[in-house]
Each structure stands twice: as C-alpha cells, then as structure tokens.
Amino acid sequence: MDNLVYILFICIVAPLLLLSLMLRKRSKLIVGYMLVGIFVSLFVSELNTILLNMFKGETEYVTTTITPISEEIAKAIPVLFYAIVFSDEKDRVMPIALSLGIGFAMFENMVILVQNIESVSIGWAIIRGFATALMHGVCTMTVGFGICFVKKKKKLFYCGTFALLTMASIYHGIFNMLVQSNYKYLGFVLPALTYIPIIIRQYNTTKKIA
C-alpha cells in the first residue's frame, strides 16, 4: 500500500510538472503551489501515520485534536515563506494559499481512495471533493490572508501567526468532529458557508477594480 501511495504521487505530480513548464509566471505560481500542497500532503500522510501509531490507533481522537494541528502548520509554512521572501500582497498570497490547500486535499483524497477502494462511493467522492477539499483550501487561504496583515505589524507577527494557526486548527478540528458525529451534514456544508462570503468579497473587489 505504501508503494501504491508513491506511485499515485508520481502519476499526479509528473503531468503537473510538465504542464508548469508551459505556463507563464502567475499561472506557473498557482500550479507550483498546488504541487507544493501535494508534497506537503505526502509528508503529512507519513507523519499522521506515526502519530496514529503513537496514540494506539485512536482515530477519532487523533483526527479531531492532533492532525488538524500538524496539517495546518505544515500547510502554512510554504505560504508564510512566500509572504516573507516574495510578496505579502493579498492578491498574490491568497490564490497561492488556496491552490496549496486544494493540492493538499486532492492528494489526500486520492490516498484515502486507494486505501478504501472497496467501500468508497459517488457520494463519498462528492463529499470529499466539495467539503473536505474546500475546508483545506479555506483554512490555508484564511491563514494566508491573515499573514498579509500581521507581517506588516511587527509587534503582532509572532502572536498573530500563532493565532492564525490556532484558528485554522480549531476550524479543521470542528469540521472533523462534525463529519464523524450525528451532525455530519452540518460539517459538510460548513466549508461552503465559509467560502461563499470570500467569493462574494473577491467578486466585489474585482468589480470595483474593473
């Protein structure tokens, strides 16, 4: 099964790498950060396996309290690096943060698919594709948005970054908790309810510029 995960990783990454060679700067950056998200997802999948073994297979406990923290920190590091080294403009950071989160979720979904191939369904794919993937994207994009603000305020940078990671981890943990409870349908719609205001804001901003 471990070899299958790496085979899947190569099959997804190789075409995207080839595609990135043909893209221009902004598009290349978006695809590049999607690839970063896939790399991060591979790393975190190995880390989460170790964490699960440490807690003796307590899946519900680990997925609601431990993995949200490890995943949100791992996803935030490349976004923080970009904001510090290249640009802290929201129009640049938010798209790459979203693409990283989506890339992360895309590979995570594929790993879960191959590990549970006998039990997955179309319904499962819709939920993972629209709810879980969107949750990862929203969490990373929100951290990216906040980093653009706290980076400009030196006194807020460290505590602000910690607060952003805490917020994303709590949101992630709440989502995982809801989808494993009797209120799972509330969990499924939570990312959409968060994403819709972001889309409306983005649309209004673009409209004003135009």
Side-chain angles (χ1 to χ4, degrees), residues 153-165:
K153 311 288 183 179
K154 293 183 178 179
K155 293 182 179 179
L156 291 177
F157 180 73
Y158 295 105
C159 61
T161 302
F162 176 78
L164 289 166
L165 292 173

Side-chain angles (χ1 to χ4, degrees), residues 121-181:
S121 64
I122 295 295
W124 175 90
I126 292 172
I127 291 167
R128 293 293 309 186
F130 285 97
T132 307
L134 191 56
M135 179 274 295
H136 279 295
V138 165
C139 284
T140 311
M141 185 168 55
T142 303
V143 171
F145 179 85
I147 285 173
C148 294
F149 175 76
V150 300
K151 182 181 177 292
K152 295 180 174 70
K153 311 288 183 179
K154 293 183 178 179
K155 293 182 179 179
L156 291 177
F157 180 73
Y158 295 105
C159 61
T161 302
F162 176 78
L164 289 166
L165 292 173
T166 301
M167 177 187 66
S169 299
I170 291 173
Y171 182 98
H172 189 156
I174 290 172
F175 173 83
N176 286 355
M177 182 176 63
L178 285 172
V179 298
Q180 295 180 70
S181 71

Side-chain angles (χ1 to χ4, degrees), residues 61-121:
Y61 175 77
V62 172
T63 56
T64 56
T65 59
I66 307 299
T67 58
I69 299 173
S70 63
E71 291 179 8
E72 295 309 324
I73 291 175
K75 288 190 295 175
I77 290 173
V79 178
L80 183 61
F81 175 80
Y82 182 86
I84 292 173
V85 176
F86 297 106
S87 172
D88 58 6
E89 296 299 319
K90 292 192 292 292
D91 290 342
R92 288 182 172 270
V93 175
M94 287 181 66
I96 65 109
L98 178 61
S99 63
L100 188 149
I102 294 298
F104 181 98
M106 186 170 67
F107 186 71
E108 181 185 67
N109 286 347
M110 294 300 99
V111 171
I112 295 174
L113 171 65
V114 298
Q115 290 176 342
N116 302 274
I117 192 67
E118 300 296 332
S119 59
V120 296
S121 64

Side-chain angles (χ1 to χ4, degrees), residues 9 22 116 118 206:
F9 174 79
M22 296 295 294
N116 302 274
E118 300 296 332
T206 304

